[in-house]
Amino acid sequence: MTHPWFEGVSAPRVLAHRGLVTPEEANHGIVENSFAAVAAAHSAGAPYVESDCHRTADGVVVLFHDDDLSRVTGDPRKVADVSSRELEHLMAGRGGLITLRQALTSFPTLRFNLDVKAAGAATAVGTEIAPFADRVLLTSFADDRRRTALSAAAAAGRGIRPATSAGRGTITRVLAAVSARSDRLVARALAGVDALQIPERQGRLRVLTPRLVAAAHRHGVEVHVWTVNAPDDMLRLVAMGVDGIVTDRADIALAALA
């Protein structure tokens, strides 16, 4: 069965990477993964917001990408070492802190693609998204972290599991199986996975290939590519059969792929 996260939205899917911050908004101090960035993606018509989850010192799950605050706020401390109140103060002039709970409740029509960035946040993320599992896709570069979050969601949930995309280890197994032309191994690697979310290239390695897209589709798995900001690249990838585009400029992507 198709997970509700995918239903009712036509491919190619546009996933707003960390929300939406236009150059004009950036000039006014708005930053990624802020309340304002999520609101801007919603206002632009993006059906999906891709974001990241960390846990503060007082146990609050927040949307934040980096382990530390230096790049976004200039504060050198780690997210895990500050309280949610301190982080709220630091983000006040940057679009506002948004917690995971606020994201899910303040934007009830948005669907979220959530990357668990810290092992210590996995159980909390899974537990918190459980009531909203129909509109959440859980992922992580670390498959064990992703599975911990999925298990927590299952334990706290009401029968609907979150959708999920493959971690780095699973993607490596899929690529090896495609290279070996073994559909049996592809099927085994993709078991329980709803999407492959990948870069087009990783260094010299071409990750995205027509064979990979075809193999994923044979097993009912979508392919989403990150992070794509040029309209010509978006159109080229969609022509290859890619199902979703993760982009910093959801406004441009929505227009280009309409």
Side-chain angles (χ1 to χ4, degrees):
M1 292 179 61
T2 301
H3 190 278
W5 190 88
F6 298 90
E7 291 179 343
V9 178
S10 300
R13 307 180 193 281
V14 173
L15 288 77
H17 186 232
R18 308 179 194 175
L20 172 62
V21 180
T22 65
E24 181 180 5
E25 289 164 335
N27 287 338
H28 286 88
I30 305 301
V31 299
E32 64 185 40
N33 279 336
S34 60
F35 195 101
V38 175
H42 179 254
S43 294
Y48 301 97
V49 167
E50 186 279 342
S51 193
D52 314 279
C53 295
H54 278 280
R55 195 170 181 230
T56 62
D58 52 340
V60 177
V61 179
V62 295
L63 303 192
F64 211 89
H65 180 271
D66 299 356
D67 289 341
D68 64 67
L69 307 174
S70 56
R71 180 177 63 86
V72 173
T73 72
D75 189 309
R77 290 177 294 172
K78 292 186 176 297
V79 177
D81 293 335
V82 300
S83 70
S84 56
R85 184 177 294 275
E86 288 177 291
L87 189 52
E88 188 171 1
H89 175 73
L90 288 166
M91 291 289 288
R94 297 176 168 89
L97 176 68
I98 184 167
T99 69
L100 176 56
R101 184 171 298 277
Q102 285 172 328
L104 293 167
T105 57
S106 299
F107 301 95
T109 62
L110 271 181
R111 306 177 195 204
F112 287 88
N113 191 115
L114 298 173
D115 185 350
V116 184
K117 288 295 186 187
T123 297
V125 171
T127 301
E128 203 153 302
I129 61 92
F132 310 94
D134 59 326
R135 56 189 182 96
V136 172
L137 183 148
L138 272 178
T139 189
S140 177
F141 281 131
D143 276 308
D144 57 347
R145 194 181 303 158
R146 174 177 67 90
R147 293 187 184 109
T148 296
L150 288 169
S151 294
R158 303 166 186 168
I160 300 176
R161 68 168 180 85
T164 189
S165 68
R168 187 173 286 155
T170 298
I171 292 170
T172 299
R173 289 193 295 276
V174 173
L175 292 174
V178 170
S179 180
R181 298 180 184 271
S182 172
D183 207 48
R184 178 179 61 84
L185 292 178
V186 170
R188 183 183 298 176
L190 289 175
V193 169
D194 300 290
L196 291 175
Q197 297 183 330
I198 56 175
E200 185 173 7
R201 292 180 176 274
Q202 190 72 50
R204 292 185 175 183
L205 173 68
R206 170 168 279 281
V207 180
L208 179 72
T209 63
R211 275 207 291 153
L212 176 65
V213 173
H217 287 173
R218 280 198 303 275
H219 297 282
V221 173
E222 291 199 0
V223 178
H224 306 158
V225 178
W226 49 266
T227 304
V228 187
N229 294 328
D232 288 349
D233 288 334
M234 297 173 188
L235 294 169
R236 174 178 56 81
L237 292 168
V238 168
M240 285 180 62
V242 163
D243 305 285
I245 299 294
V246 183
T247 178
D248 295 320
R249 294 302 305 269
D251 52 341
I252 292 173
L254 289 164
L257 300 176

